[in-house]
């Protein structure tokens, strides 16, 4: 249902949960928006930084995360939130800062928080 006359918008998605279905759906939305020509950034915050480690038979979050990045989406994770969990950035998800989140929030046309 893409309208070629609609201007490209920038969408920011803040993912604050490690719930498999919510994380999976957030990334599906991101993929759909990128494929529709929008610029999309997903910022993992709080429990959201655990999304890459989710193992769920029904909701393959890691696969959707990789598909989002491969489609051209921007994926970032809160460095402090990773450090609190003794985790590190990954090839698909670099460590970022609150300044990076602020940039996403202030430069996006729309921001959606899923928590």
């Amino acid at each position: 249902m893409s309208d070629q006359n609609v201007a490209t918008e920038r969408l920011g998605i803040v993912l604050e949960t490690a719930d498999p279905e919510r994380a999976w759906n957030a990334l599906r939305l991101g993929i759909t928006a990128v494929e529709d020509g929008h610029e999309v950034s997903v910022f993992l915050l709080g429990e959201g930084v655990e999304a890459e480690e989710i193992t769920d038979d029904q909701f393959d979050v890691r696969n959707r995360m990789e598909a989002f990045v491969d489609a051209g989406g921007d994926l970032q994770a809160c460095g402090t939130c990773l450090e609190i969990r003794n985790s590190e950035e990954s090839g698909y998800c670099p460590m970022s800062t609150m300044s990076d989140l602020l940039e996403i929030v202030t430069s996006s046309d729309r921001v959606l928080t899923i928590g």
Side-chain angles (χ1 to χ4, degrees):
M1 192 170 132
S2 172
D3 183 355
Q4 297 299 327
N5 296 324
V6 175
T8 298
E9 289 191 357
R10 183 164 165 83
L11 175 64
I13 300 173
V14 180
L15 181 61
E16 291 189 285
T17 182
D19 175 79
E21 186 173 11
R22 288 182 188 174
W24 183 74
N25 279 320
L27 292 161
R28 288 179 54 230
L29 173 61
I31 292 165
T32 301
V34 168
E35 289 175 347
D36 199 42
H38 300 284
E39 294 179 39
V40 183
S41 294
V42 173
F43 193 92
L44 307 178
L45 186 64
E47 287 181 8
V49 301
E50 300 171 19
E52 192 170 13
E53 304 305 319
I54 294 172
T55 54
D56 187 279
D57 292 336
Q58 188 171 9
F59 304 108
D60 190 345
V61 175
R62 171 70 185 213
N63 176 274
R64 294 297 78 203
M65 190 174 285
E66 291 174 3
F68 172 71
V69 172
D70 290 345
D74 173 49
L75 181 64
Q76 301 178 45
C78 172
T80 302
C81 301
L82 286 169
E83 289 173 4
I84 288 170
R85 290 163 176 79
N86 296 315
S87 296
E88 297 178 359
E89 67 183 359
S90 71
Y92 276 95
C93 190
M95 187 178 290
S96 300
T97 66
M98 281 293 117
S99 294
D100 296 316
L101 176 57
L102 179 62
E103 175 63 25
I104 290 169
V105 170
T106 58
S107 67
S108 294
D109 297 300
R110 301 180 195 308
V111 178
L112 174 66
T113 300
I114 298 175

